[in-house]
Amino acid sequence: MSKLFTLQGKLQNYAWGGSTYIPNLLGIESNSEKYAEYWLGAHVKAPSVLSTPDGKQPLDVYLNANLSKSLGVDIAEKFGRLPFLFKVLDVNDMLSIQVHPSKLEAEKGFSIENEKGIALNAPHRNYKDDNHKPEIMVALSEFWLLHGFLAENLLTQRLKNTPEFVGLLSVFEEEGFLGLYKCVMEQSVAESNQLLRPLIDRILPLYQEGKLHKTSPDYWAAKAVDMAVDTTVLDKGIYSIYFFNIVKATKGEAIFQDAGIPHAYLEGQNMELMANSDNVLRGGLTPKHVDVTELLKHMNFEETIPSIILGALQKDGLERIYKCPVPDFELSQITLSMADLYKSKAKSAQILIIIEGEVVIVEGNTTLVLDKGEAAFLMAESEYQITTPSSATIYKATVPCS
Ligand SMILES: [Zn+2]
């Protein structure tokens, strides 16, 4: 029986997406839509489609019928489903500031909201499921994001250098990260507008004249306002742009978002691998529900020194593994030139996507020729090899086996 199949992902057209990157990758015609995400996984809302010898099947349906064989007995028992979702993202307009709960907090929050009888699709529902949502992303281009609070000395400097925020300096000095964040997030609309309006009036013209750089919070704050539909109420997420690290990841560099780390994707393309969950607590740059009390409970109020993950090149010199401290997933990058032969034995299920070039994958009696943008699903215990007629870059998602 074959253990290697082609896999067709699902497009997600969100307003923040770009117009060309994903259509170019997939080789499809771009219309006027925004192409934000391309999902590879078994999420029930948008399962990928597996091409089996018996015809096409949604991946979730196939896995439900073949879970142990697909994931391996141990992983199937541990998770009861494919534990990860793999995505290509093209971020044109910045995403909301967010924090994800820990596994334990998600279990608690989910059961409390269930007991309260809050409908799963209610706009003010915080916990959509009982799972955590750690995420790792590796940049496919120059990628910009917000990640954790600035170091104490840098935040002090930032407040001093932003004339409109000088008054917040004493709040930070006396009450620290939590006190500062709580102070601005609990402001009334009138109070925050009063503080933010002069700032925006000062920086928006500079942004529009192209005088700001992406390393400056002014650039992103102005961009947020420039793209907002309604600017009568200024989004309190603007404060976070000044409080958090602005990180630039270059192609091939990765960064991990653990529970409690506030973050926001600002611009660029990436491969993202995450646990199967929709638990997002938002902190602004969004028209969606912001529950400040709940947000404060889950955010890490301490300085974060951003850790760029370069990945560990394996002995074969071809595969680079980006290790994460979670049991749900493992991300790696495989780069091949013409003479290279990549060999692997899959302990659990794997999803591969070809980002550049063309490859030939051989598993037992099955051979697949995959072009840029195409993907494959491999079952546990498959033994396979990959070659390329020119050069190729592949990203691989799997479950780490200890
Ligand atoms: Zn996130």
Side-chain angles (χ1 to χ4, degrees), residues 98 100 133 135 263:
Q98 49 188 257
H100 306 299
K133 192 174 181 276
E135 302 162 334
H263 58 280

Side-chain angles (χ1 to χ4, degrees), residues 283-326:
L285 302 184
T286 178
K288 287 186 187 160
H289 174 64
V290 174
D291 182 337
V292 175
T293 312
E294 199 60 30
L295 186 70
L296 294 177
K297 277 193 234 164
H298 300 288
M299 200 180 270
N300 284 0
F301 289 100
E302 55 191 24
E303 62 181 33
T304 298
I305 310 296
S307 162
I308 294 283
I309 307 166
L310 298 173
L313 192 62
Q314 303 301 292
K315 269 192 226 130
D316 62 10
L318 305 173
E319 182 172 14
R320 189 174 284 282
I321 300 181
Y322 301 91
K323 282 272 179 211
C324 291
V326 289

Side-chain angles (χ1 to χ4, degrees), residues 55-74:
K56 294 195 172 188
Q57 273 195 58
L59 184 59
D60 58 327
V61 173
Y62 181 84
L63 290 179
N64 285 342
N66 302 279
L67 198 66
S68 295
K69 258 196 269 173
S70 300
L71 300 191
V73 176
D74 292 354

Side-chain angles (χ1 to χ4, degrees), residues 98-100 133 135 257 261 263 265 272 274 280:
Q98 49 188 257
V99 163
H100 306 299
K133 192 174 181 276
E135 302 162 334
Q257 316 294 344
I261 301 278
H263 58 280
Y265 289 166
E272 186 181 58
M274 60 170 67
V280 178

Side-chain angles (χ1 to χ4, degrees), residues 23-45:
N24 280 346
L25 175 69
L26 302 178
I28 57 173
E29 190 110 343
S30 163
N31 52 29
S32 56
E33 300 235 46
K34 299 289 185 191
Y35 299 88
E37 302 188 349
Y38 184 65
W39 288 18
L40 292 163
H43 198 294
V44 287
K45 276 190 209 155

Side-chain angles (χ1 to χ4, degrees), residues 205-226:
L206 298 173
Y207 173 79
Q208 286 162 344
E209 290 161 25
K211 287 183 178 161
L212 298 175
H213 191 263
K214 290 179 183 177
T215 50
S216 163
D218 293 347
Y219 176 91
W220 301 105
K223 182 175 176 180
V225 175
D226 196 48

